[in-house]
Amino acid sequence: MKLKTLTLATLLFQGTLTWAQTDTTTDLLGLLGDEEPVIYSTATFKSTRVINGQSIENVAGGVMDFRISHRFGTLNSGVHKMFGLDMASMRLGLEYGITDNWMVGIGRSNVNEEVDGFTKIKLLKQVESGPKKMPISVSYFGSIVMRGTEWANPERTNYFTSRLYYCNQLLIAKKVDDKLSLQLSPTHVHRNIVATADIPHDVFAVGLGGRYKVSRRLAINAEYFKLMQNNIPGATNSLSLGVDLETGGHVFQLHLTNGSSMNEKGFITETTGSWNKGDIQFGFNISRVFTVKKPKGYQE
Amino acid sequence: MKKFILSIALLSAVSATQAQKYFTRNGHLGFFSKTNMEDIKANNENVTYIVDWSSGDIQISALQTNFKFEKALMQEHYNENYVESSKFPKATFKGKIDNVSAINIKKDGVYTATVSGALEIHGVSKNYTTKQHLRFPVVM
């Protein structure tokens, strides 16, 4: 009895084996052996900004991004100021991808008449699947801001370098799944000039950002920058909540934030508004991309 | 109404695995769709094709992320929102040249091949039959 079962099993096994063999001969692609490609995570965030701060995304090589950003006045400014809509801080930016991994940008803000220039470089790219393994993406962001306002003390000797502010930032991001992405952004800001001797020139902060994709076109974003020191008079941590709306070539980012500046040294070190007191500003970023240089490999 | 025209490009850099089997990893594949807003066009130059001339079997495999679009954002939307390349990384075609006996690969000329088989994109497989011109010798 036992022997019979065994024979039957062997027969069945042989049967499947031969069948499998005939099957594989028609699997021509299988004959070639599969070359497993490295697939990197893409679209960790919809835009190059989470809200105020930089996201891990770059504009693609050869693409120009024209950005218009507005922050209205605070909601608690009341009906006389139309809850903030009467006032606006704004930044206009032109940002360009030199390669897929390296972008540069310039921007002009009416807050303190500032001009900013920055660069963002991809250092590590998260791998979605393939023979290589990389759980996170890492980028470096660096910027210089020039403050354009009249000197506070014109009677003394003022140096051009006193107008400058620097920011170094590491962006560490993880696309957890199709919907959820998270980012950690350790930040260092250096101010060449500060109001008094006991105010630090160097400021350290840590940013936390996240997005949750609700649909193909809509995502919810949140961003928080925590100052790692409390010796900056009046400064509060910047907190922003928003949505990203995407159409074909535009991304609209609508949000509420307590920071009115749109460059790093501004919203990280100079935010004074408090969510508790209602110093909340409505704002938006509009991004419109133009292809300046056609991608390599594309055929007309 | 979007109409995708799949054009199977000529096999390039053909190399023989066995007597009657030919393959390439640098085959070309493209699609084009005309819409009111803008035309959608992409091409992929790293497509794997394998043909067995004795049986007429033809199989094609294209990595979705290798399709190049004119606009980077269009490419991102294609991979992220439509074909979901992280879930369905490849588009494949597995079929047969029905009139393979009428094609003599050793003799130069233009042949019309009737190809039928299953095209799988985004995890959905559909059967198609199409006529394609084959030209020997292969010109790049």
Side-chain angles (χ1 to χ4, degrees):
Chain A
M1 186 60 196
K2 258 191 178 167
L3 191 71
K4 260 187 186 171
T5 339
L6 191 71
T7 333
L8 191 66
T10 325
L11 277 172
L12 276 172
F13 181 63
Q14 280 175 340
T16 34
L17 203 72
T18 31
W19 188 80
Q21 268 174 354
T22 47
D23 189 46
T24 49
T25 46
T26 58
D27 181 19
L28 295 173
L29 288 168
L31 283 179
L32 294 177
D34 222 1
E35 275 185 303
E36 205 192 350
V38 177
I39 298 178
Y40 294 104
S41 302
T42 55
T44 307
F45 289 89
K46 277 202 195 294
S47 171
T48 56
R49 303 299 196 285
V50 179
I51 292 175
N52 283 319
Q54 299 286 334
S55 79
I56 197 81
E57 297 299 326
N58 280 26
V59 287
V63 174
M64 173 76 81
D65 185 11
F66 177 51
R67 299 185 68 91
I68 306 166
S69 307
H70 269 252
R71 304 290 180 269
F72 292 103
T74 55
L75 296 182
N76 64 2
S77 60
V79 73
H80 280 289
K81 300 277 183 213
M82 197 58 206
F83 303 97
L85 293 183
D86 285 354
M87 296 164 283
S89 318
M90 59 171 293
R91 177 182 181 273
L92 292 176
L94 269 183
E95 305 180 1
Y96 183 70
I98 294 169
T99 69
D100 283 345
N101 297 327
W102 178 29
M103 69 177 281
V104 292
I106 50 165
R108 157 79 193 191
S109 310
N110 67 352
V111 187
N112 297 327
E113 301 169 25
E114 281 162 355
V115 176
D116 64 88
F118 73 85
T119 186
K120 185 154 65 171
I121 300 160
K122 288 192 182 188
L123 304 174
L124 293 174
K125 288 194 263 190
Q126 184 180 342
V127 173
E128 191 106 1
S129 68
K132 282 204 273 182
K133 296 267 175 291
M134 179 48 67
I136 53 166
S137 299
V138 177
S139 289
Y140 167 78
F141 167 84
S143 76
I144 301 176
V145 175
M146 191 200 80
R147 187 180 170 130
T149 45
E150 301 280 333
W151 296 113
N153 303 299
E155 65 284 356
R156 72 174 192 198
T157 316
N158 287 297
Y159 299 100
F160 170 74
T161 49
S162 303
R163 295 192 176 278
L164 301 182
Y165 300 78
Y166 307 90
C167 174
N168 291 302
Q169 198 168 44
L170 217 50
L171 311 167
I172 304 161
K174 173 141 188 91
K175 187 171 186 176
V176 180
D177 56 32
D178 283 350
K179 292 183 155 65
L180 182 69
S181 300
L182 298 171
Q183 186 177 295
L184 186 73
S185 325
T187 308
H188 162 241
V189 174
H190 178 84
R191 296 99 59 91
N192 270 350
I193 203 164
V194 285
T196 60
D198 52 341
I199 301 174
H201 287 275
D202 292 288
V203 180
F204 295 90
V206 172
L208 288 170
R211 78 103 193 242
Y212 188 81
K213 221 167 118 180
V214 181
S215 74
R216 281 176 189 176
R217 302 288 186 201
L218 185 73
I220 299 169
N221 289 357
E223 183 182 70
Y224 183 63
F225 277 90
K226 174 153 179 55
L227 292 164
M228 300 311 283
Q229 55 210 73
N230 49 16
N231 51 356
I232 308 156
T236 54
N237 295 325
S238 144
L239 172 68
S240 317
L241 302 171
V243 292
D244 283 1
L245 281 166
E246 189 178 30
T247 66
H250 295 86
V251 179
F252 295 95
Q253 297 185 291
L254 311 174
H255 37 257
L256 294 171
T257 174
N258 60 340
S260 57
S261 177
M262 283 148 282
N263 58 44
E264 281 62 28
K265 76 98 179 156
F267 65 80
I268 295 171
T269 68
E270 293 164 6
T271 292
T272 52
S274 153
W275 273 72
N276 293 335
K277 292 178 193 151
D279 304 324
I280 304 162
Q281 295 167 274
F282 172 66
F284 62 82
N285 302 334
I286 299 171
S287 155
R288 168 79 214 186
V289 291
F290 301 93
T291 303
V292 178
K293 230 173 74 191
K294 303 246 162 89
K296 232 162 100 183
Y298 172 75
Q299 288 176 336
E300 286 295 335
Chain B
M1 181 66 190
K2 280 185 190 173
K3 218 174 203 179
F4 282 92
I5 303 159
L6 284 165
S7 60
I8 300 169
L10 290 167
L11 306 183
S12 60
V14 186
S15 27
T17 45
Q18 284 171 35
Q20 292 291 298
K21 293 189 185 74
Y22 290 80
F23 83 95
T24 176
R25 291 194 192 276
N26 306 309
H28 294 190
L29 185 62
F31 61 81
F32 177 74
S33 166
K34 190 161 183 61
T35 68
N36 290 335
M37 290 284 286
E38 54 186 348
D39 293 344
I40 297 158
K41 187 172 178 286
N43 57 277
N44 186 334
E45 295 178 358
N46 297 293
V47 180
T48 302
Y49 286 76
I50 181 162
V51 186
D52 184 344
W53 289 109
S54 58
S55 64
D57 283 325
I58 177 164
Q59 300 193 353
I60 305 164
S61 171
L63 200 63
Q64 295 286 15
T65 48
N66 278 344
F67 279 97
K68 303 288 178 206
F69 291 71
E70 184 181 358
K71 292 174 181 170
L73 206 60
M74 208 186 259
Q75 188 168 324
E76 185 180 306
H77 291 161
Y78 174 78
N79 286 299
E80 181 77 7
N81 295 339
Y82 298 106
V83 296
E84 297 183 282
S85 304
S86 56
K87 284 186 208 151
F88 309 100
K90 282 173 184 168
T92 58
F93 179 81
K94 288 183 181 175
K96 246 184 160 55
I97 301 171
D98 297 326
N99 60 339
V100 70
S101 53
I103 298 162
N104 182 358
I105 57 166
K106 295 201 171 82
K107 200 171 161 234
D108 289 354
V110 179
Y111 300 89
T112 306
T114 310
V115 183
S116 59
L119 176 68
E120 188 178 317
I121 297 171
H122 194 241
V124 180
S125 184
K126 276 189 184 171
N127 287 315
Y128 287 94
T129 301
T130 179
K131 279 190 184 358
Q132 289 291 328
H133 289 297
L134 288 174
R135 189 197 308 269
F136 299 115
V138 173
V139 185
M140 284 295 283

